[in-house]
Amino acid sequence: ATNEFVRALAVRPGDPELVQQAFLASVMSGRSEAGQLARQLGDNPVAQLVLGDQDARAGNWAAAEQHYQGLPPQGLTQLLRPLLVAWSQAGAGHPEIALSTLRPFVDGQRFRGIFALHAGAIADLAGMTADAGRYYAIARADMPQINLRMAQIMASWEARSGHPAAAQRSFAALASDAPDMIIALPTLEADSTTRP
């Protein structure tokens, strides 16, 4: 479908409906044309995500943040926007600003654990151990059921913070919540002192 839409655009360049359809097809198929087409779509939220992702991958954090700041504050982007903005700020070397971006959401009620987990990871990467520990504790309390990624993050933090028994409890919780994951536990435990 992407090939056909791109061919149609060659015949009718700038046709807004064709640009929209070609963009959606290229995003869904993971094609490189998505970035070029996104530039033609203005404030389209998916286009802003694609452009922000391209800038982030290139290390152009200020431009990525600008794209993410332009996302509408409703729907799914209401959750994604502060996370992406904060990670862009952290990528630019400003973890304190990133944490201040997330703080109102951590202090809020909706999705508090998700925001706290990301704040913990940002603080952890920045070597801000007291902040990381506090945010990780909030995430753990707010999200009692643990998934594979959260178990990996939490156990790594606990092991690296000198609490190997707590790391073991994180893995035990994972095995309890998702018994199929027991096969992965030896590898997870062996890698627990490495930051994910």
Side-chain angles (χ1 to χ4, degrees):
T2 303
N3 290 338
E4 295 304 317
F5 282 124
V6 169
R7 280 191 207 118
L9 274 174
V11 176
R12 292 191 342 223
D15 180 310
E17 182 64 25
L18 277 177
V19 170
Q20 179 71 26
Q21 294 300 322
F23 171 70
L24 290 175
S26 66
V27 166
M28 288 189 285
S29 62
R31 297 273 300 268
S32 62
E33 290 91 345
Q36 298 160 339
L37 294 165
R39 287 177 177 60
Q40 299 176 46
L41 292 174
D43 292 337
N44 178 302
V46 177
Q48 292 303 309
L49 285 170
V50 167
L51 293 171
D53 181 60
Q54 285 183 336
D55 284 328
R57 288 175 185 259
N60 190 353
W61 299 108
E65 182 182 348
Q66 185 175 0
H67 288 296
Y68 299 143
Q69 289 280 16
L71 293 170
Q74 71 258 358
L76 180 59
T77 57
Q78 181 178 6
L79 173 67
L80 291 177
R81 183 178 184 227
L83 295 172
L84 294 170
V85 167
W87 278 107
S88 297
Q89 293 165 335
H94 307 291
E96 299 87 2
I97 294 171
L99 293 177
S100 70
T101 295
L102 293 177
R103 194 167 296 116
F105 300 96
V106 172
D107 293 342
Q109 295 302 313
R110 292 191 62 192
F111 308 112
R112 181 176 192 231
I114 293 170
F115 291 112
L117 183 63
H118 284 264
I122 288 170
D124 190 1
L125 286 170
M128 302 166 72
T129 57
D131 288 326
R134 187 168 48 83
Y135 286 123
Y136 283 145
I138 292 169
R140 185 59 167 273
D142 201 64
M143 299 187 299
Q145 270 206 313
I146 195 164
N147 62 33
L148 175 62
R149 187 64 173 155
M150 187 169 171
Q152 186 181 28
I153 292 168
M154 297 305 295
S156 167
W157 168 254
E158 292 156 349
R160 289 180 291 114
S161 299
H163 300 96
Q168 292 299 321
R169 285 192 298 276
S170 290
F171 290 133
L174 174 64
S176 173
D177 289 344
D180 295 346
M181 298 308 315
I182 200 161
I183 195 167
L185 289 183
T187 302
L188 291 170
E189 289 172 356
D191 292 340
S192 65
T193 58
T194 304
R195 183 186 292 125

